[in-house]
Amino acid sequence: MNAAMSGPTSSNHPGLAAWVAEMAAHCRPARIHWCDGSAEERTGLLAVAQAAGVLEPLDPVRRPGCWYHRSNPGDVARVEECTWICTPTADEAGPTNRWADPDETRRRLLGWLAGSMAGRTLYVVPYLMGPPGSPLARVGIELTDSVYVALSMGIMTRMGRIALDALGDDGRFNRGLHGMLDLDPAKRAIAHFPQDDAIISTGSNYGGNVLLGKKCLALRLGSWAGRREGWMAEHMLIVAITDPAGRRSHVAAAFPSACGKTNLAMLTPPARMPGWKVETIGDDIAWLRPGPDGRLWAINPENGYFGVAPGTSPATNPVAMATIARDTIFTNTGRTADGDVWWEGLGPAPVGLTDWRGRPWRPGGEPCAHPNSRFAAPMANNPMLAAAAHDPAGVPIDAIIVGGRRADTYPLVIEARDWTHGTYLASVMGSETTAAAAGVVGRVRRDPMAMLPFCGYHMGDYWDHWLATGARLTRPPRIFHVNWFRKDAAGAWLWPGFGENLRVLAWILARCQGRVDAEASPLGLRPMTGGIPLDGLGLAPERLALAQRLDRDEWRSELLDQAAWYDRIGRVPAALRTELRKATTAIG
Ligand code: SAT
Ligand code: MN
């Protein structure tokens, strides 16, 4: 039986047509819909999703064009235990990835998918990662039986005709296959085949597992391709910052999932810092390449934001609030009685809330919104979007910031002495785990470059690639390590965070422009007294001193743990081991 076709089946790419036909014959959907990315198509797909109970419309006045999705309660976050790197050898995947044999895994997953789309529609989702015409842009085709995925890909990527045009008749493309399989957790797998530029995802419908352009292509396979092709795929936001003197700089920053990347990417300058402007280029992923000028140039491969809802409010992130005011899909938030969404941290709870599982919610019980509830919102909605977000060349990066969520040990900010030292600081980054991944929340784990769940190959080789890329840059970005999350002995935050982080960015940029001095410390360079502008903040200088404090006992155990981490990785570049030895000697 042949599946019914709809959409523009007008690709003249023989490899694409043959692969779609082969996968359709295998999964046996009743219908095949080729997505063109048009507004009319979106309206039609939304109607399909509504009729199937997958999406519910929100109130057209309070949230115009917005939709609500409630996931299966057992399918609410990425699952690292089910995420596989299927390189020919286990050694290529390295000690931080779960490796599985490519042939056996492909056979097993295709076995599950055989006939699994009976009665369903297979969506052919062509998507472009990166601005059209960028030397870094890549095309993926995701085949999925989830209308939620097709609609979300339409927000998160440049989807449809635009991608087929970029592909042309003979371009290369990533082959992604996603089947929901009734969300059976026993058949949940996110498998990457770097040598084939292919992904198979089964048994889930959660963003990070199934929006294949994002973590799978842009990071896991992107990092693998970047090493071979001489560029970098990183879990970084990108911002353009203009200071009161009109100097424009670009910063890329790596933080683990749910540690404030979207907030920093959309930072609103505090009232006491007039004349500063922060514009978003990306909030999650950066693709970077050395430019002919010896600088590191970055693009955001995405076209939307898949952000954590809880904690987002007019006070913490007014730019995000404006961005999600329309045309947004909300997943697993709470719902108000009048057709809007609600989550913890948004403000006072209105009466009559429904929780993320659809049950009436009362204050004091379980959270109303799932802690990893998300919004998927178009980048074009962002009132502070930088025009450069669409520039195929990208932007030159002045500073790279890395950091995790650490209640202790790490100071508010330190500057690496050079690229090698910065690579070391990023390689030993640690963070308390968050709700973005299934598992225990709040345990410190090493999360190098915030890439632990996303680096598609051996972590030691990845660090080597960082060093090799740095060696190609005659004007490398400076690298900084920050910790917005340090607490005092009573458990209170030492630094206010959010918009006030711009004060730390101001120091970082002044360093990049050679306008302020720093002092040497065993950990790296740190601000001189008065270096971070505190005017109007009402923060006692002693609090800042505590936030910056170096506690040698904490550092002795931290460095022992770093050494154990390096031993676990094994193949650590000698230059990084040297940096760790220097730090250990300096701490004493
Ligand atoms: O869940 S996602 O992987 O899409 C987002 C994240 O965890 O960074
Ligand atoms: Mn992320």
Side-chain angles (χ1 to χ4, degrees), residues 421-493:
H421 183 230
T423 303
Y424 152 71
L425 290 177
S427 75
V428 295
M429 247 167 81
S431 194
E432 294 156 20
T433 47
T434 68
V440 187
V441 168
R443 192 173 35 86
V444 172
R445 68 169 187 181
R446 299 285 150 195
D447 190 350
M449 290 76 171
M451 284 286 278
L452 182 70
F454 307 122
C455 178
Y457 61 103
H458 194 295
M459 191 58 77
D461 295 343
Y462 165 72
W463 295 340
D464 197 58
H465 182 51
W466 262 66
L467 295 173
T469 306
R472 290 169 56 201
L473 300 170
T474 52
R475 296 163 67 196
R478 293 194 191 213
I479 301 178
F480 299 80
H481 186 291
V482 301
N483 178 19
W484 313 132
F485 300 95
R486 197 170 191 184
K487 292 180 176 171
D488 66 13
W493 304 113

Side-chain angles (χ1 to χ4, degrees), residues 78 206-208 214-215 235 257 261 284 306 372 374 436 454:
R78 281 182 288 102
Y206 169 73
K214 194 173 180 62
K215 305 303 184 181
H235 194 199
S257 303
K261 277 202 305 298
D284 195 38
F306 189 61
N372 193 39
R374 298 268 172 168
F454 307 122

Side-chain angles (χ1 to χ4, degrees), residues 146-292:
S146 164
V147 68
Y148 168 79
V149 167
L151 284 161
S152 299
M153 288 295 284
I155 294 175
M156 295 303 301
T157 69
R158 295 169 172 90
M159 190 273 271
R161 192 77 256 169
I162 187 173
L164 291 179
D165 288 347
L167 182 65
D169 292 348
D170 58 358
R172 63 175 186 173
F173 63 95
N174 173 276
R175 291 158 198 243
L177 175 59
H178 167 239
M180 295 209 286
L181 303 180
D182 296 326
L183 307 178
D184 179 355
K187 294 182 179 164
R188 191 163 294 164
I190 303 96
H192 305 72
F193 305 87
Q195 63 286 351
D196 305 331
D197 200 5
I199 307 157
I200 305 178
S201 172
T202 56
S204 172
N205 202 31
Y206 169 73
N209 298 332
V210 299
L211 306 179
L212 299 184
K214 194 173 180 62
K215 305 303 184 181
C216 300
L217 190 161
L219 289 179
R220 297 198 190 93
L221 296 184
S223 60
W224 193 91
R227 177 159 180 248
R228 266 146 200 83
E229 299 164 11
W231 54 282
M232 301 164 88
E234 299 295 335
H235 194 199
M236 290 178 180
L237 66 94
I238 312 167
V239 283
I241 304 179
T242 310
D243 74 8
R247 284 177 289 242
R248 196 173 168 80
S249 316
H250 298 101
V251 174
F255 303 104
S257 303
C259 287
K261 277 202 305 298
T262 304
N263 286 340
L264 188 58
M266 299 180 178
L267 185 147
T268 298
R272 303 299 181 112
M273 294 183 75
W276 286 84
K277 185 165 161 191
V278 178
E279 292 162 285
T280 317
I281 293 171
D283 82 324
D284 195 38
I285 296 173
W287 284 355
L288 309 111
R289 70 189 168 107

